Amino acid sequence: SAVISQKPSRDICQRGTSLTIQCQVDSQVTMMFWYRQQPGQSLTLIATANQGSEATYESGFVIDKFPISRPNLTFSTLTVSNMSPEDSSIYLCSVESKYPIYEQYFGPGTRLTVT
Amino acid sequence: QKEVEQDPGPLSVPEGAIVSLNCTYSNSAFQYFMWYRQYSRKGPELLMYTYSSGNKEDGRFTAQVDKSSKYISLFIRDSQPSDSATYLCAMSAFIFQGAQKLVFGQGTRLTINP
């Protein structure tokens, strides 16, 4: 299993500002994933970050709003840009393991409130 | 229509009861079917994993998949207060470079009352 930490654990931000969320894994992984979990909603995949290449975004999410960095095999950042109250959510990163079964391990999440 | 539908609850049952949680899905391309458990202020953790129709049992938990009906279930026997959490069904599909994408249901918030 992988141990994942995220910083910050929570933050309250003003609209129009940006917040960068960090995700650190205790082992080297190829793919990292960023999800959003809005209040009362399911986890929705924002993008997949493969080390050494541009992140791949899901429909409805764009790089200008959610730029992602993946500088090495154990670290990634997600920035939430030009925030509005609609961005208030929990943001989670995850990594995958393919053996013995396919599984994604999740970080504890970053709880963001935009005022 | 969402790809995965799950009743968000909340669901409250007495300790010792049998709990049934369900999801339906519309995408026939889903390969694997999972149940994640999420405690308050924690990330989801994998609870059960299946890839074929039928039942899979692990202790007090049984996962059931019916691909013909596009319906999956999780049963919890002899429920305990420690089972109180949000349960999310998730289904996977291949996206690129061998990576898989997880599509989650809305999650059902379950409370087991002592």
Side-chain angles (χ1 to χ4, degrees), chain A residues 37 40 42 50 58 102 111, chain B residues 38 41 49 97 101 105-106:
Chain A
Q37 188 174 28
S42 64
N50 190 0
E58 293 294 300
Y102 184 85
R111 185 177 296 266
Chain B
Q38 185 175 22
R41 303 189 183 281
Y49 174 104
Q97 296 180 27
K101 165 185 173 179
Q106 191 171 346

Side-chain angles (χ1 to χ4, degrees), chain B residues 5-81:
Chain B
E5 298 275 2
Q6 181 179 7
D7 185 342
L11 181 62
S12 181
V13 301
E15 183 176 355
I18 297 175
V19 177
S20 173
L21 304 170
N22 310 293
C23 289
T24 59
Y25 64 96
S26 58
N27 188 348
S28 299
F30 286 138
Q31 300 283 319
Y32 303 106
F33 305 90
M34 307 161 208
W35 287 94
Y36 277 79
R37 181 173 59 193
Q38 185 175 22
Y39 290 111
S40 181
R41 303 189 183 281
K42 301 284 188 182
E45 295 179 311
L46 183 66
L47 183 62
M48 295 287 287
Y49 174 104
T50 59
Y51 58 87
S52 60
S53 286
N55 294 347
K56 181 178 181 180
E57 189 173 317
D58 184 1
R60 297 184 294 109
F61 299 89
T62 300
Q64 187 176 79
V65 174
D66 183 345
K67 286 189 174 182
S68 63
S69 300
K70 295 188 176 66
Y71 187 89
I72 71 170
S73 299
L74 177 71
F75 299 97
I76 307 174
R77 294 184 300 279
D78 187 25
S79 55
Q80 305 293 312

Side-chain angles (χ1 to χ4, degrees), chain A residues 19-32:
Chain A
L19 176 71
T20 295
I21 302 168
Q22 299 179 9
C23 179
Q24 180 76 50
V25 189
D26 68 342
S27 57
Q28 295 184 339
V29 295
T30 303
M31 297 285 189
M32 296 182 76

Side-chain angles (χ1 to χ4, degrees), chain A residues 10 31 33 35 37 40-43 45 48 50 56 58 92 96 98 101-104 106-108 111, chain B residues 2 8 32 34 36 38 41-44 46 49 88 92 95-102 104-107:
Chain A
R10 61 192 310 153
M31 297 285 189
F33 305 83
Y35 289 84
Q37 188 174 28
Q41 302 296 317
S42 64
L43 279 78
L45 182 64
T48 303
N50 190 0
T56 301
E58 293 294 300
L92 301 106
E96 64 178 6
K98 298 181 181 180
I101 62 171
Y102 184 85
E103 180 175 356
Q104 286 192 16
F106 287 83
R111 185 177 296 266
Chain B
K2 294 181 181 178
Y32 303 106
M34 307 161 208
Y36 277 79
Q38 185 175 22
R41 303 189 183 281
K42 301 284 188 182
L46 183 66
Y49 174 104
L88 303 109
S92 73
I95 44 178
F96 63 92
Q97 296 180 27
Q100 296 192 37
K101 165 185 173 179
L102 293 186
F104 285 86
Q106 191 171 346

